[in-house]
Every structure is written in structure tokens, then in C-alpha cells.
Amino acid sequence: MKRRGRMIFFLLSAAVFAGVYLWGLKGLPAVGHYRGPYGDVLNQVATYERHVTDIVTAVNFDYRGFDTLGEEFILFMSVVGGTVLLRRQREEEKSEHKDQALSDESPERQAPEPSDATRVLTLGLVGPLVVFGLYIVAHGQLTPGGGFQGGVILATAPLLVYLAGDLKKFKQITSHTLVEVAEAAGAGAYLAIGFAGLILGGAYLRNVAALGKTGMINSGGTIALINLATGLEVAAGFVLLLYAFLEQTLEIRLRGGK
Amino acid sequence: MSFFPYAVAAWLFVIGLYGIVTSRNFVHLVICLAVLQSSTYVLLLSIGYRVGGTAPVFAGVRVGTPAVDPVVQALMLTDIVVEATVVALLLALALQLHKRANTLDPDKLKALEG
């Protein structure tokens, strides 16, 4: 009965959605016949104005830089929220001492050891992944990529270490305090770069740094700097989230898989 | 064919919503929400698409070559970040729920406990 009522509500909603969507589509051009004008203007001027070749990055970190600041803080707050939601509850405090001896699980609860194939593959991937992530962060203004994309790639490196070993290995290579500081520093650096624009150029987030030569890695002025700051924040933020989730898997395993 | 991507976007939205409505598991529900949200990617990209247009990246391509709209692509990046954060928060909630209520089925949940 409850489910039937829900289905009826869904069908009604879908019908309303279909009507509104079709109505809205009437105002849209057919796919492939983009009418502009903003995208066309940006495609024409961004390379000359900002010395960058990836226009999407120029939009994100310069023309629309203030919005992206908000976006970065959405991510920041969600990491804070995730960490708070997954913090040790009061009844879990008791198991705190087991933290020191992670291998202290009773044999029947022990997670199976990762196979040699997993270990070889994941550990072999860590190095290339870190280099690739740094490359994506640093070349955001030239080719597709940037701080958000590269940061996520970087954050997968400790996850691979976890897959190859256990939580202890993950903790060994990521200092929680350091990662927290890195996340805050990344978010703060974005803010600070904005204030530099305000002080030196008269407008928040104005691109005041030297623009460099188009096509070079140091081109783009503040776009490149913000990319680095974002990369730091995103990588650290995702590592913190992984940390919180992986701690929970340990917590659940200690309680006998409940 | 010129409206096909819009139809795909609508389909993703509705099928995601259907999944949410009929879901028997909160993890499944969160993934359905992600499917629903991916409809906005398809919609944004179709709005900015231009037949024969290149990517709005002018590394090795002369400026002035017809390209697709970079603004909607930048918006899509925001969209993806929001989706990732929403999924992370909801999965954290689902995890805590499972610890407390020992179920992930929305129908098996009793009334709210204070």
C-alpha cells in the first residue's frame, strides 16, 4: 500500500516533469546548433587576455573564479561534514587502544591478505599515478585538467597503498595532521590569491600575477597558482574522507562485521 | 537526431528518480541519485555542443577554430564536484545508519529515534 502510493506519486511527478521539460526544450536550440554568445567570445579572447590555451580552466579559475571559490568551500565543508559524521562515537571510544595494534584482530575476523597480483599491480601504479596527478594539476591552464581533476588522482595513491596492504600502511604514509593542514592551506591559499588581486589590482581575484608566455607551464598568472592551491586542497580533502571511511571499516571489523 | 541527447538526459533523470522511489537499500539509493544527477551533465554538454566544433582547448589549434561552449563545461565541473561531495556525505550517513539500525532498507526503518 505504502509502495503503491509512492509509485502513484512518482508517476504523477514524472508526468509533470515531462511536461515542464518539453516546454523548456522549446526554448533550446537543436543539439549541435550552439547560439552563444558567451562561449564564442571567451573562445576568441581568453587566449589573448590570459595567455592560456584551456579555456575551460580560464573560465573556472578566472572569469568565474569567485564561483569556483564557493565550489571549493562546498568541497571543504563536505570533507568537514564527512569527518564529523564518521567520527568515533562515544561507545566506540573503548576500542581506541586497539588502534595501536591494528593486527590485534582475532584470526576469524582477519581480512584476507591481498593477493600478490593485487600488491604488485597497485604498488607499481602508485609512482606513475603521483606523477600523472602532479602533471594534471600543473598543466591545467594548457590542456584539459587542473586542480580538481589532478587532486582526485593524487588522492587515489594512498588508497592503492591501502589496497596493497592494510590500514596501517595507509596511516604510515599519510599523517592525519599534515593532511589536515594541507587541506586548510589549499583552501586558504585560494582566498589569499583573491585578496592579492584586491590589493594589487583593485578587484577580488583579479589576475595580477605575470601572465607568462602562452603554452608554457608558468603561463596564466593566478590561474596556474589557484590550480596548485586547488590541487592541494582537493587531494588532501579526499585523503581525509578516505581516512574517515577506512577508519570505519576497521571499527566495523572490530565489532565482528556488524 | 538533433534532440536525441535531450531525450537521454530526460531518461537518466526519470530512471534515477524511479530508482530512488523504489529503492530497498540506501547505498543503491545514493547511486540512483548519482545517475539522476548525471542527466544534468548530458543536458549541459548538449546545450554547448556545436556540430564540427573542436574542444575549447587551443593547444596546437589556432584560436578562432569553431569550438564548443567552454562555459557549460566549466559548470559541469562544478556539477561533478557537488555530486562527489553529496555522495560522500550520504554514504557516511548510510554507514552510521547501518551501525545504529542494522538495516539499510528504508522500509524497515522504524519511526525516528531521538
Side-chain angles (χ1 to χ4, degrees), chain A residues 3 6 10 17 21 25 29 31-32 34 39-40 42-43 53 55 60 64 71 75 78 82 85 89 92 248, chain B residues 2 6 10 13 18 21-22 24 49-51 56-58 68-69 71 77-78 81 85 89 96 99-100 107:
Chain A
R3 298 192 74 82
R6 221 186 283 173
F10 164 72
F17 167 75
Y21 190 70
L25 278 188
V31 176
Y34 173 66
D40 290 332
L42 283 166
N43 279 336
T53 50
I55 314 300
N60 259 320
R64 233 181 105 250
E71 176 188 342
L75 185 72
S78 120
L85 277 173
Q89 308 289 309
E92 288 165 6
Q248 284 295 322
Chain B
S2 63
Y6 293 151
F13 185 90
Y18 175 80
V21 170
T22 57
R24 292 275 184 153
Y49 181 63
R50 160 176 287 144
V51 177
V57 177
F58 297 100
V68 301
D69 182 9
V71 180
L77 181 77
T78 308
V81 172
T85 59
L89 278 181
Q96 291 293 18
K99 279 204 292 190
R100 280 173 194 278
D107 287 344

Side-chain angles (χ1 to χ4, degrees), chain B:
Chain B
M1 280 299 270
S2 63
F3 280 89
F4 183 64
Y6 293 151
V8 172
W11 172 250
L12 282 173
F13 185 90
V14 173
I15 203 74
L17 194 63
Y18 175 80
I20 292 173
V21 170
T22 57
S23 182
R24 292 275 184 153
N25 182 305
F26 272 113
V27 176
H28 167 263
L29 193 151
V30 174
I31 302 305
C32 287
L33 184 68
V35 170
L36 186 154
Q37 200 172 359
S38 59
S39 69
T40 57
Y41 310 156
V42 178
L43 185 64
L44 279 172
L45 290 184
S46 345
I47 290 173
Y49 181 63
R50 160 176 287 144
V51 177
T54 166
V57 177
F58 297 100
V61 180
R62 200 176 47 80
V63 174
T65 315
V68 301
D69 182 9
V71 180
V72 285
Q73 300 205 359
L75 281 175
M76 212 194 79
L77 181 77
T78 308
D79 206 350
I80 292 176
V81 172
V82 170
E83 176 183 342
T85 59
V86 166
V87 166
L89 278 181
L90 287 179
L91 286 180
L93 280 173
L95 203 151
Q96 291 293 18
L97 176 80
H98 186 259
K99 279 204 292 190
R100 280 173 194 278
N102 242 328
T103 175
L104 279 174
D105 187 344
D107 287 344
K108 287 207 180 113
L109 283 181
K110 313 270 181 324
L112 281 180
E113 289 167 39

Side-chain angles (χ1 to χ4, degrees), chain A residues 179-208:
Chain A
V179 179
E180 273 178 348
V181 170
E183 203 211 358
Y190 197 148
L191 271 177
I193 292 168
F195 277 114
L198 185 63
I199 293 162
L200 299 172
Y204 193 74
L205 277 171
R206 172 163 289 178
N207 198 334
V208 287

